[in-house]
Amino acid sequence: MASLKDLRNRIASVKATQKITKAMQMVAAAKLRRAQEAAEAARPYSQRMASVLANIAQAVGGGSDAPALMTGHGRDDVQLLVVCTAERGLCGGFNSQIARFARERIRSLLADGKTVKIITVGRKGYDNLKRDYGRLIIDRIELREVKQIGFANADAIAKKVIALFNDGQFDVCTIFYSEFKSVISQVPTALQVIPAAPPEAEKAENGATAIYEYEPEPGEILSDLIPRNIAVQIFRALLENAAGEMGAKMTAMDNATRNAGDMINRLTINYNRTRQAMITKELIEIISGAEAL
């Protein structure tokens, strides 16, 4: 049985931990609002850009004017997976869910005889994948020193990916991230960005496909628009991850605070029972000694 001193030390330790988890929960809640607003603000822009890209791509079709970033190399033998996770832990299963989703895709591609290459964005993604697929990781990008994710960070990643594509080092690129739904719901998502897989073209009110005239030529517009769209989609993925991380961290720290409270209650009850038992024992010894006299 633990002594009273051990129990007091344990209770004090758990109380100190509870204060830390409560403070982390409050910090995550404060950051979540800004991160959620940024993620939700980025969605209409990225969706509208994808819609514009779809209309221009329809005008070009699969002709010679279409850039390789849109049409690809005509094969899918080498797959590049850009796995975006958080830089830090203490956010429940947020990072492991993304890593598990990416791991399932990796196993499926390898089973189909494809060559897989991985770029990790975020330290936790690298930590989760290095044991099983360390040989497949060709680059790791950490944004730990970045206090607030900006478009410049996403643009730098997009330029690296495009440079690898231009060098012929892969055929298809897919981004893995977690789409923010709510504080308790983040959905692992995979988005193919190379070759560009735009949604359906915008339609007019009568249901017909809208027709536009472009200046300069559509192929020239796509050459500038597709790299920008890749950077925008990566930026959106980073913002969605930031919001999801804060939501998961707030939930995890709230659960940790509650669990610490329950543990303090159990330890306090155990402490009181042990103390009462010791007092009773001492009284019995005193009474027994007095009767012996």
Side-chain angles (χ1 to χ4, degrees), residues 2 24 28 35 66 81-82 128 136 139 154-155 162 190 206 292:
M24 293 183 67
L81 309 185
V82 181
N128 275 282
L136 304 179
D139 195 4
D155 190 47
I162 293 172
N206 59 3

Side-chain angles (χ1 to χ4, degrees), residues 194-253:
I194 300 177
E200 293 184 0
E202 183 179 356
K203 294 185 177 181
E205 294 181 358
N206 59 3
T209 302
I211 300 176
Y212 298 92
E213 293 184 359
Y214 301 98
E215 178 67 31
E217 293 300 319
E220 186 177 347
I221 297 175
L222 283 175
S223 298
D224 179 71
L225 186 62
I226 292 179
R228 186 182 298 272
N229 180 64
I230 294 172
V232 167
Q233 299 304 330
I234 293 176
F235 183 46
R236 178 187 174 184
L238 296 178
L239 293 178
E240 295 280 354
N241 267 4
E245 178 192 359
M246 290 301 108
K249 181 170 292 187
M250 189 178 74
T251 302
M253 291 302 100

Side-chain angles (χ1 to χ4, degrees), residues 68-75 165 171-173 192-198:
L69 287 173
M70 186 185 77
T71 60
H73 292 148
R75 55 185 184 274
F165 179 77
D171 302 318
V172 178
C173 175
Q192 179 179 314
V193 292
I194 300 177

Side-chain angles (χ1 to χ4, degrees), residues 21-22 24-30 32 90-94 97 180 182-186 243-259:
T21 57
K22 183 63 176 178
M24 293 183 67
Q25 177 193 352
M26 295 174 67
V27 171
L32 172 62
L90 298 178
C91 48
F94 175 78
Q97 287 178 355
F180 177 82
S182 67
V183 175
I184 60 174
S185 176
Q186 300 87 33
E245 178 192 359
M246 290 301 108
K249 181 170 292 187
M250 189 178 74
T251 302
M253 291 302 100
D254 179 59
N255 292 335
T257 302
R258 294 174 184 272
N259 292 338

Side-chain angles (χ1 to χ4, degrees), residues 276-292:
Q276 187 62 45
M278 293 181 66
I279 293 173
T280 303
K281 181 181 178 181
E282 290 176 357
L283 289 174
I284 292 174
E285 290 175 352
I286 293 172
I287 295 172
S288 299
E291 290 180 349

